Amino acid sequence: MSRPSASPTAHDAAAEYARSIADPEAYWSAIAGTELLWDRPFTRAFSGSLAAGDASWFDGGVLNACVNCVDRHLAARGERTALIWEGDEPGSTRTFTYRELHGEICRLANALQRRGVEAGDGVGIYLPTVPEAVVAMLACARLGAVHCVVFAGFGSEALRQRLAAADCRVLITADIAMRAGKAIALKPIADRALAALPGIHSVLVLRRGVPGITLSEPRELCLRRAMDAESPAHRAAAFPSAHPLFVLHTSGSTGTPKAVLHATAGSLLWAMRTHRLALDWREGEVYACVADIGWITGHSYIVYGPLGNGATTLLCEGVPTHPDPGRYWAMVEQHRVAVLFTVPTAVRAIARHGDAPALAHDRSSLRVIATAGEALDAATWRWLRDVPGGGSCAVIDIYGQTEAAGHLLAARPQAFAMGASKPGSVGSPLPGVVVAVLDGAGNPLVGEAAGMLAIGAPWPGLAKSIGDRRDPDCLARHPGFYLTGDGCRRDADGHLWITGRVDDVVNVSGVRLGTVEIEAALLAHPACAEAAVVGVPHALKGSALIAFAVARVGQDEPRLGAVLRAAVRAGIGPIAAPERVVMVPALPKTRSGKLMRRVLRALAMGDDGALGDLTALAEPSVIDDVRRALSELPNS
């Protein structure tokens, strides 16, 4: 294993950012020319603008994403471990070298070709986070087919809608997924969706040893049998830079999911570059991302970014508390993980059980703990730094989006090393990202300010299309800016803080309050493990705040809701004190760990019609638990 290279200094990072903004075409021309393997070099790195909606990257270039992620590493890294898979149960580990991964991908590419899959065809992937999902994505990329990964927790109607929207001709699925020791049948869900999708002519099924699951040949085939019948060699074709790589739907945690289409060169380069810069991966290190493969984090930071960089990437089917809350730290110890990428809600679920599960394991290999997907509150940041991180591990929070192909902002390790990190801040923009804070009319604010987070220039990872439009509302509403839909605050030092979705800013008696700030005040109390705040209509105040909180283990005393309400009053002020603090056993989240605040808002209002699409919900039983807590006498 080669010695890890050092991170750039804060001065180096600042100088690189300045170069990327001053001359983006020169900057990205140099980066793309050295970090990607081209069959034919591009003639121009960048052209177009956000205002005109015609941004174009690496025109004239021809390449293959799979070759960039696997083939080009074979000569120097062929025997290096490419994938480590941790199953739901400890001990169910599988590993693949780059050479072994290449053979698997070629077998599946040949099998898909045999079934008529061509460049541009849609291929649905409805699999849990298993190695076969990575193989399937890269086999599609090898053929130029457009993969559409559908989160394996979705139901049949959500699956049908996504496969239809992506015009899929083939589906790759599994008989079951495993979650916390329970087998969840996927094949029956897929069958119900397929009944309304006659255009899907082939279904490849990963058999995981479950009896009673039958395949209806010739449409349905065993995935392993189909692959074993093929050669482990395949000649990859090359495609233009703008050739579609994948379609991915947003999570649905904040509303109706949108189909997001990403181009090959831009999204691949963005994933690789941000994997190095934001997550600070170094050559030779073991890197772990515990996200689900079905979200952009799984695409960019389990597959395309790490493998493009030649990393050893660890993926995990399990959940952080099974079989015990020490599961992540056991994986760190066993595999000597240097960089761990997770979500704040998973961390809070672990921290709820105290320090012992982390302290029971050797975490000395850890150098970086990164989080994304939700705001990382100061209390959880400090717990990560002091307990799992042992006081010296860099703790960084990151902001990104499906539409962005990954990260946009990051509190990078250089700031942590200098003692300049601010708990709760997502730091500063990554190279190539021009941040603007807009007022309600779309005017940029200067200096210390709060408003809408927008991006003022294209970047390589910007989606080719969003929904059914090339110029969706996020581009068209304020021409020249990409609107993220999130609110933010910029402090006097230029650090950025995400204040929540713009529609999660609540107007209480004429005062605009960000829900994230109130949640942070709740989480600062040592008895509170998780929290979510929503606004509901109020006859006098316009809106009222309702908080939902989960207690740490052993801290659920009868008056805790009142104690937490008082903590907000003392920490922020009386205007921010919630009308009620509702103690619940768990909060509604997607499998990727995002809080579904719209679900809590609908339940608080007693409006089941506003619950919306619940197919992203990880634990449906949470709905009844929250209803029950709301129906009981207020404990605040």
Side-chain angles (χ1 to χ4, degrees):
M1 181 176 289
S2 59
R3 185 179 182 82
S5 56
S7 300
T9 65
H11 175 77
D12 293 337
E16 180 181 5
Y17 180 79
R19 290 196 306 274
S20 75
I21 302 306
D23 192 344
E25 184 171 355
Y27 175 81
W28 288 112
S29 180
I31 296 296
T34 56
E35 296 202 7
L36 294 179
L37 179 65
W38 298 89
D39 286 68
R40 186 174 70 218
F42 53 89
T43 55
R44 186 174 183 181
F46 166 71
S47 62
S49 68
L50 288 179
D54 61 350
S56 182
W57 292 92
F58 313 118
D59 290 344
V62 173
L63 76 169
N64 185 286
C66 179
V67 169
N68 272 271
C69 289
V70 183
D71 299 52
R72 68 165 167 169
H73 301 311
L74 295 179
R77 301 182 176 103
E79 308 315 314
R80 173 182 289 182
T81 300
L83 294 183
I84 301 171
W85 175 72
E86 280 276 338
D88 187 57
E89 294 295 336
S92 53
T93 303
R94 296 165 63 193
T95 62
F96 297 78
T97 65
Y98 272 92
R99 200 169 308 283
E100 290 167 338
L101 180 61
H102 178 263
E104 291 288 276
I105 292 166
C106 289
R107 290 183 188 276
L108 183 51
N110 286 323
L112 292 173
Q113 257 185 336
R114 188 175 297 279
R115 282 149 189 85
V117 174
E118 299 178 346
D121 287 350
V123 175
I125 301 172
Y126 184 58
L127 288 169
T129 302
V130 292
E132 288 79 5
V134 178
V135 170
M137 291 168 66
L138 291 171
C140 289
R142 194 171 191 86
L143 297 173
V146 184
H147 64 70
C148 175
V149 180
V150 180
F151 164 55
F154 282 143
S156 58
E157 180 56 19
L159 175 61
R160 184 202 65 77
Q161 290 174 346
R162 286 157 173 80
L163 296 178
D167 196 22
C168 292
R169 295 288 182 261
V170 172
L171 175 64
I172 303 171
T173 187
D175 49 14
I176 62 165
M178 295 298 301
R179 180 175 172 83
K182 298 177 182 178
I184 301 167
L186 295 185
K187 181 64 165 51
I189 297 172
D191 288 344
R192 290 193 290 273
L194 289 166
L197 295 169
I200 292 183
H201 58 72
S202 296
V203 182
L204 302 178
V205 181
L206 172 65
R207 304 300 298 262
R208 305 184 78 184
V210 179
I213 300 290
T214 59
L215 302 183
S216 301
E217 297 182 352
R219 187 192 195 195
E220 300 178 351
L221 307 96
C222 170
L223 175 64
R224 185 71 259 170
R225 188 178 303 167
M227 291 172 62
D228 286 345
E230 301 293 344
S231 166
H234 177 272
R235 186 176 180 83
F239 303 97
S241 297
H243 184 81
L245 181 61
F246 62 85
V247 173
L248 185 62
H249 289 76
T250 54
S251 67
S253 59
T254 57
T256 303
K258 301 184 295 291
V260 179
L261 178 66
H262 278 287
T264 298
S267 61
L268 175 61
L269 182 64
W270 192 253
M272 291 169 57
R273 193 70 182 154
T274 53
H275 173 249
R276 282 189 181 273
L277 295 181
L279 294 163
D280 196 36
W281 173 80
R282 302 177 188 177
E283 182 71 25
E285 290 183 331
V286 176
Y287 156 85
C289 176
V290 293
D292 191 281
I293 203 81
W295 310 122
I296 192 62
T297 299
H299 281 49
S300 292
Y301 303 112
I302 292 177
V303 184
Y304 290 113
L307 294 178
N309 287 328
T312 295
T313 179
L314 185 151
L315 60 158
C316 177
E317 185 179 11
V319 298
T321 54
H322 179 76
D324 59 67
R327 181 67 191 278
Y328 284 175
W329 318 122
M331 292 192 303
V332 167
E333 178 178 16
Q334 179 183 352
H335 301 293
R336 305 301 296 163
V337 172
V339 181
L340 176 67
F341 186 22
T342 182
V343 293
T345 43
V347 176
R348 288 192 279 264
I350 296 169
R352 182 185 180 193
H353 296 270
D355 300 348
L359 298 177
H361 297 280
D362 178 6
R363 306 160 329 279
S364 59
S365 62
L366 266 180
R367 192 174 53 77
V368 175
I369 302 174
T371 68
E374 281 283 336
L376 179 63
D377 60 282
T380 304
W381 187 96
R382 294 189 180 96
W383 184 83
L384 280 173
R385 179 196 61 187
D386 296 339
V387 182
S392 60
C393 182
V395 177
I396 58 177
D397 196 21
I398 297 170
Y399 172 85
Q401 291 190 324
T402 303
E403 298 89 336
H407 306 328
L408 292 168
L409 318 173
R412 295 172 65 180
Q414 295 91 336
F416 184 92
M418 294 173 60
S421 290
K422 297 185 179 183
S425 169
V426 290
S428 56
L430 291 165
V433 178
V434 179
V435 163
V437 181
L438 307 182
D439 64 16
N443 301 307
L445 302 171
V446 298
E448 191 172 359
M452 296 184 290
L453 174 63
I455 311 300
W459 65 99
L462 177 61
K464 190 177 176 71
S465 65
I466 302 169
D468 58 359
R469 299 175 60 190
R470 183 64 187 89
D471 57 342
D473 187 57
C474 60
L475 292 175
R477 185 144 52 102
H478 295 302
F481 294 101
Y482 167 84
L483 304 182
T484 66
D486 288 299
C488 78
R489 175 171 61 86
R490 184 170 53 213
D491 69 17
D493 297 321
H495 291 248
L496 294 162
W497 309 70
I498 302 300
T499 56
R501 299 295 295 177
V502 172
D503 53 9
D504 283 331
V505 174
V506 182
N507 193 320
V508 180
S509 298
V511 178
R512 290 171 59 81
L513 299 168
T515 57
V516 170
E517 183 179 12
I518 301 167
E519 289 165 6
L522 291 164
L523 291 165
H525 194 282
C528 184
E530 299 181 69
V533 175
V534 299
V536 298
H538 189 278
L540 298 178
K541 299 179 180 180
S543 296
L545 298 167
I546 306 295
F548 297 84
V550 179
R552 288 185 181 272
V553 172
Q555 297 289 327
D556 195 7
E557 53 99 353
R559 295 291 297 166
L560 183 55
V563 171
L564 294 176
R565 186 173 186 272
V568 176
R569 177 183 287 270
I572 302 178
I575 190 66
E579 293 285 310
R580 299 175 64 191
V581 177
V582 184
M583 302 306 302
V584 294
L587 297 172
K589 305 171 194 170
T590 66
R591 274 280 300 277
S592 63
K594 288 188 178 181
L595 289 173
M596 301 182 77
R597 288 180 179 82
R598 64 176 172 82
V599 170
L600 290 172
R601 186 180 299 111
L603 292 171
M605 294 169 58
D607 184 3
D608 284 2
L611 287 172
D613 182 7
L614 297 178
T615 52
L617 185 63
E619 298 292 345
S621 61
V622 169
I623 300 291
D624 289 336
D625 291 337
V626 173
R627 280 200 185 101
R628 191 176 305 111
L630 284 165
S631 68
E632 294 172 352
L633 289 175
N635 56 6
S636 56

